[in-house]
Amino acid sequence: MIDETVEEIQEMQTHSSSVVAVNATRALEELLDREFATAEEYVRALERNGSVLRRANPSHASLQNAVRQVVAAVTEADPETVTEAKILTQEEIDAVVSRVESAKERAAENAVSRLDDGATLLTHDYSSTVIEALEQATDAGKTFEVYVTEARPRYIGRKTARRLADLDGVEATLIADSANGYYLEECDRVVVGMDCIVEDTLYNRVGTFPIAATASELDVPVTVLGSASKIVGEGFVFENEFRSGSEVMPEPAEGFDVENPTYDATPVALLESVITDEGRETF
């Protein structure tokens, strides 16, 4: 389970950062079925596998925080027996997963009031928190037109468009990333998720920065949704990931390079609001 989860994270098979954090944390449950001679041996295995999961994506704040919390809780408790260590691990996993999932729901709930009935929105990439917010808003009777960018080169936006198409009250339209400037003139708001915010910079799926910059130029407010745990300060250094150029161009590149960054950096000054489970954040 741990190896499979690491592969899923590295291959970006799961696009929601909250789901990635939950999956990584749950993967540690594999250790509960293994045999260990001593509590010390178990704790070392927990620390080692926690590091393996965190290295799968060093830039993923939710994953880093969730796995680190489980490992720290067990090691700091200094359990005397393997049984005690396993019980502590399961309790902490359940607690961390509960916090991640409830934070997403509360962030979405806090965002509903900012999503005006009848508004035209634009979203980028795939955010389970954004989708949850739209689900809650449509359940309350609101309707929306939503432009969804493809989020190339992996076309993650197609998954978002399919999810939104299933919601009563949402009229979804898939557009090319480069068409955002054309359609933003029709939009009342941009709503996106976040990988993390470090000091005065939002890191999110590549393509977020040009959308936010264009929206600012056109006076379209940009709202970012996510758990407060994704807002990190000292002690966290964001590391961008550069994926295979074959995702951009399958055929061999002859005489030129192909770059494929996963994230870009958006100044928070371009954002109208950041809404988390703790309310509206200020920077």
Side-chain angles (χ1 to χ4, degrees):
M1 183 176 180
I2 292 174
D3 291 342
E4 290 84 351
T5 302
V6 168
E7 184 177 351
E8 288 177 2
I9 294 170
Q10 292 174 336
E11 294 300 320
M12 291 174 59
Q13 294 180 22
T14 301
H15 305 305
S16 165
S17 58
S18 298
V19 175
V20 169
V22 169
N23 290 349
T25 305
R26 286 292 186 201
L28 291 172
E29 291 177 330
E30 176 183 319
L31 299 177
L32 305 181
D33 296 326
R34 297 183 189 175
E35 297 295 328
F36 297 92
T38 65
E40 291 77 9
E41 181 184 346
Y42 173 85
V43 170
R44 286 195 299 270
L46 179 64
E47 292 173 331
R48 183 172 61 255
N49 284 278
S51 296
V52 168
L53 286 161
R54 290 192 291 106
R55 284 198 302 271
N57 191 332
S59 65
H60 201 302
S62 294
L63 181 159
Q64 297 292 320
N65 290 335
V67 173
R68 200 187 301 272
Q69 286 169 22
V70 173
V71 175
V74 177
T75 56
E76 290 172 7
D78 193 21
E80 295 183 358
T81 66
V82 174
T83 299
E84 180 185 353
K86 288 184 176 182
I87 291 173
L88 285 170
T89 300
Q90 186 66 75
E91 290 176 346
E92 191 61 26
I93 287 173
D94 291 342
V96 168
V97 168
S98 178
R99 286 197 294 270
V100 170
E101 293 179 340
S102 63
K104 178 176 69 175
E105 293 174 2
R106 291 197 302 273
E109 182 179 349
N110 290 337
V112 170
S113 63
R114 303 196 68 80
L115 303 178
D116 296 333
D117 184 24
T120 299
L121 310 173
L122 185 142
T123 191
H124 177 60
D125 189 42
Y126 181 91
S127 166
S128 59
T129 309
V130 170
I131 291 172
E132 174 73 19
L134 288 169
E135 287 177 344
Q136 292 188 26
T138 54
D139 285 345
K142 295 184 178 182
T143 61
F144 306 96
E145 292 186 22
V146 184
Y147 289 107
V148 184
T149 56
E150 288 181 305
R152 296 184 181 186
R154 293 177 63 86
Y155 300 98
I156 301 169
R158 295 178 182 179
K159 179 180 178 181
T160 301
R162 292 188 184 101
R163 285 289 303 274
L164 295 182
D166 290 335
L167 294 183
D168 292 334
V170 173
E171 182 179 330
T173 302
L174 185 69
I175 63 173
D177 295 342
S178 55
N180 74 82
Y182 180 86
Y183 290 101
L184 273 170
E185 292 185 325
E186 303 177 22
C187 294
D188 300 298
R189 183 174 298 275
V190 173
V191 185
V192 295
M194 61 170 157
D195 188 75
C196 64
I197 293 178
V198 183
E199 297 181 352
D200 60 353
T201 303
L202 162 69
Y203 295 98
N204 198 47
R205 186 73 59 209
V206 68
T208 302
F209 180 27
I211 290 173
T214 305
S216 177
E217 181 68 22
L218 297 174
D219 292 324
V220 178
V222 178
T223 294
V224 173
L225 308 183
S227 167
S229 65
K230 296 181 181 180
I231 301 175
V232 293
E234 296 181 1
F236 180 82
V237 178
F238 182 85
E239 299 179 27
N240 207 339
E241 177 186 3
F242 289 81
R243 299 183 58 79
S244 172
S246 64
E247 292 181 351
V248 178
M249 192 178 76
E251 63 270 25
E254 299 181 2
F256 57 91
D257 295 327
V258 178
E259 295 286 352
N260 185 17
T262 300
Y263 306 100
D264 61 16
T266 301
V268 295
L270 295 177
L271 310 179
E272 187 260 357
S273 54
V274 176
I275 300 177
T276 73
D277 49 304
E278 297 179 358
R280 181 172 176 172
E281 305 287 338
T282 57
F283 297 89

